[in-house]
Amino acid sequence: MDKLLIRGGTQLKGEINVSGAKNAALPILFASLLTSEPLDLQNVPHLNDTATALKLLDKLGVKSERQGHYKVTACANQVTGFEAPYDLVKTMRASILVLGPLVARFGEAKVSLPGGCAIGQRPVDQHIKGLTALGAEIVVEHGYIIAKAKRLKGAIIRTDMVTVTGTENLMMAAVLAEGETILENAAREPEVVDLAELLIKMGAKIKGHGTDKIVIQGVKSLSGATHSVTPDRIEAGSFLCAVGAAGGSIVLRSVDPTTLGATISKLQEAGLDITQGDDWIKASMSKRPRAVDVRTHEYPGFATDMQAQLMALNTIAQGTSVINETIFENRFMHVQEMIRLGANIDIDGHTAVVRGVQRLSGATVMATDLRASAGLVIAALAAEGETTLERIYHLDRGYERMEEKLRALGANIERISSRANQ
């Protein structure tokens, strides 16, 4: 398995482009199942997760082609199967997002119960509850969700919790349902909005996306469309945390600052000097950061996907910070690895108390999940000496060649290929 070798202590300087958002690209790719006409998608990042999504679509009979580095054309005019098997779904929880489109357009689906990062339980009961309300007959047996419906019918659905993938799945199902569907307690994340904007281009009738109440008037069919995936706010936030921890001055381009409100606010509180325009952010840091408390929350609150990265910043900050994780019950697995780098962190249930230290020191650490990987990279950039980060396949799921972008900013970081070790 590949590793990253990071020699810390170098300030970051320069500018990079932010890639398209993984969490927007995946549902948008699966939306190709809703029409027989091609989708021309731009700004689709090269990631392990997008590769898995394209493999799954291929398994279902969807023809896809990458044209250039970031453009994907997908056409589902000859779908040959309705099953998402365990060997693909186990590596990426977002695979559950084929469930709604398959049932809505073809009347049947068989989808393995999902896997992905081991950051906590992420049950699919809200997906099943919503699709059942739309008229699908669903059974769960032998590790699979099996759903059938002649044609879905609109309904009022209020999920018991805010769920991003649940909102996306039900929105994609409802666009082809007969009549009106109202999704209450809907997720408001920018990635949900981006999916809705694509669906509207395809002919869907959707209002209220970006609020907690989405109203959908079902249509009989959807057409093809051209769409550019929204910039990745989590990648952008990760690089902002990196310059906050390592120091220096960077410019992020091809970014949407309006989606980063909570992250920017916390980083400014930590001492970063941040300015922004329509599609760029400039951030600089010339001193030791200040410790900042944070409580994760659904959008527009502070994203759970940014918690590990901000914790890395707090490990070397002046003062003590308290981090409350309210979304996932097992998202502090990176703490033990940060402690190996010299961090002073105590955990009590869903709360971490981080006492900032003057400096971290390099060590061998192991990535435990996608965002933990980014947090450990940031900590290593701020550490003295050499850090080896193992199991970076987690990082490759959601960050497009992060080490190349960091090198462009002056970081001393390299990928050690597993082939080189053989």
Side-chain angles (χ1 to χ4, degrees):
M1 291 184 286
D2 288 4
K3 304 175 183 179
L4 287 182
L5 182 63
I6 305 166
R7 297 175 180 89
T10 302
Q11 291 196 343
L12 304 181
K13 185 177 182 180
E15 61 179 65
I16 55 171
N17 289 324
V18 173
S19 299
K22 173 186 85 82
N23 290 340
L26 299 178
I28 282 172
L29 286 170
F30 293 137
S32 63
L33 289 164
L34 291 167
T35 177
S36 62
E37 299 181 12
L39 291 186
D40 292 320
L41 304 174
Q42 298 163 356
N43 206 31
V44 179
H46 260 289
L47 303 167
N48 284 357
D49 272 12
T50 52
T52 299
L54 292 172
K55 285 180 185 176
L56 177 52
L57 287 172
D58 180 70
K59 182 84 172 178
L60 298 172
V62 178
K63 297 176 183 177
S64 64
E65 180 184 0
R66 270 202 183 267
Q67 299 166 319
H69 196 70
Y70 293 117
K71 183 177 180 181
V72 173
T73 299
C75 186
N77 62 350
Q78 295 181 349
V79 171
T80 56
F82 310 105
E83 179 178 336
Y86 174 70
D87 63 334
L88 287 175
V89 178
K90 70 179 180 180
T91 63
M92 186 182 72
R93 183 180 187 275
S95 303
I96 189 71
L97 289 169
V98 302
L99 181 62
L102 284 175
V103 176
R105 183 173 165 214
F106 300 102
E108 61 178 297
K110 182 179 180 181
V111 181
S112 172
L113 291 169
C117 281
I119 57 174
Q121 295 183 20
R122 293 186 279 184
V124 297
D125 59 327
Q126 300 304 302
H127 302 245
I128 295 172
K129 172 185 174 181
L131 288 170
T132 301
L134 292 171
E137 296 180 1
I138 299 179
V139 295
V140 179
E141 59 185 18
H142 307 300
Y144 279 83
I145 304 167
I146 302 171
K148 293 184 178 181
K150 290 184 177 180
R151 186 183 179 190
L152 299 176
K153 297 185 182 298
I156 299 175
I157 303 169
R158 181 177 178 82
T159 53
D160 298 332
M161 56 187 286
V162 177
T163 162
V164 174
T165 54
T167 298
E168 292 166 341
N169 228 345
L170 297 176
M171 186 165 61
M172 286 193 283
V175 294
L176 291 179
E178 181 182 351
E180 181 179 85
T181 297
I182 299 175
L183 302 180
E184 297 184 340
N185 202 28
R188 296 185 282 171
E189 271 71 3
E191 296 78 17
V192 173
V193 174
D194 202 35
L195 174 62
E197 292 295 333
L198 166 70
L199 295 173
I200 290 169
K201 291 178 183 177
M202 296 168 67
K205 297 180 179 179
I206 304 174
K207 294 182 179 179
H209 45 297
T211 75
D212 60 2
K213 181 179 179 180
I214 301 175
V215 180
I216 304 161
Q217 303 292 337
V219 297
K220 288 188 177 180
S221 63
L222 296 176
S223 61
T226 298
H227 185 77
S228 183
V229 174
T230 191
D232 196 323
R233 62 192 172 99
I234 305 301
E235 183 192 48
S238 299
F239 280 102
L240 293 177
C241 284
V243 73
S249 179
I250 66 170
V251 178
L252 304 180
R253 302 207 179 272
S254 303
V255 67
D256 182 359
T258 65
T259 65
L260 283 152
T263 296
I264 289 175
S265 177
K266 281 296 173 184
L267 291 176
Q268 288 175 325
E269 188 179 331
L272 271 78
D273 181 12
I274 297 177
T275 56
Q276 62 195 56
D278 290 340
D279 60 356
W280 58 270
I281 300 173
K282 180 178 181 180
S284 59
M285 191 70 164
S286 58
K287 55 194 175 189
R288 186 180 177 192
R290 293 187 294 270
V292 290
D293 296 339
V294 70
R295 180 181 178 86
T296 62
H297 203 275
E298 295 88 358
Y299 191 84
F302 190 88
T304 179
D305 278 358
M306 282 300 306
Q307 178 253 106
Q309 299 90 310
L310 189 74
M311 182 182 287
L313 179 72
N314 274 329
T315 61
I316 57 160
Q318 187 171 354
T320 298
S321 59
V322 177
I323 298 176
N324 291 304
E325 173 57 59
T326 71
I327 308 297
F328 295 122
E329 72 279 2
N330 197 24
R331 204 159 201 178
F332 283 145
M333 291 190 293
H334 48 274
V335 167
Q336 292 304 316
E337 301 304 304
M338 288 185 180
I339 289 173
R340 286 180 54 78
L341 296 172
N344 184 343
I345 308 171
D346 291 315
I347 300 175
D348 183 7
H350 294 228
T351 301
V353 177
V354 185
R355 296 173 179 86
V357 297
Q358 286 282 350
R359 62 184 61 85
L360 301 175
S361 58
T364 297
V365 292
M366 179 180 67
T368 54
D369 61 72
L370 169 56
R371 305 307 174 185
S373 306
L376 290 170
V377 168
I378 292 166
L381 291 171
E384 289 185 344
E386 191 173 277
T387 296
T388 300
L389 176 58
E390 299 182 340
R391 293 175 64 176
I392 61 169
Y393 59 84
H394 288 294
L395 190 74
D396 292 337
R397 284 188 51 223
Y399 290 90
E400 189 174 39
R401 284 288 176 174
M402 189 181 205
E403 75 279 6
E404 292 182 6
K405 293 187 177 184
L406 285 169
R407 269 203 306 274
L409 297 174
N412 191 334
I413 178 172
E414 62 180 303
R415 177 181 291 254
I416 302 175
S417 173
S418 56
R419 294 176 184 175
N421 297 328
Q422 293 175 355

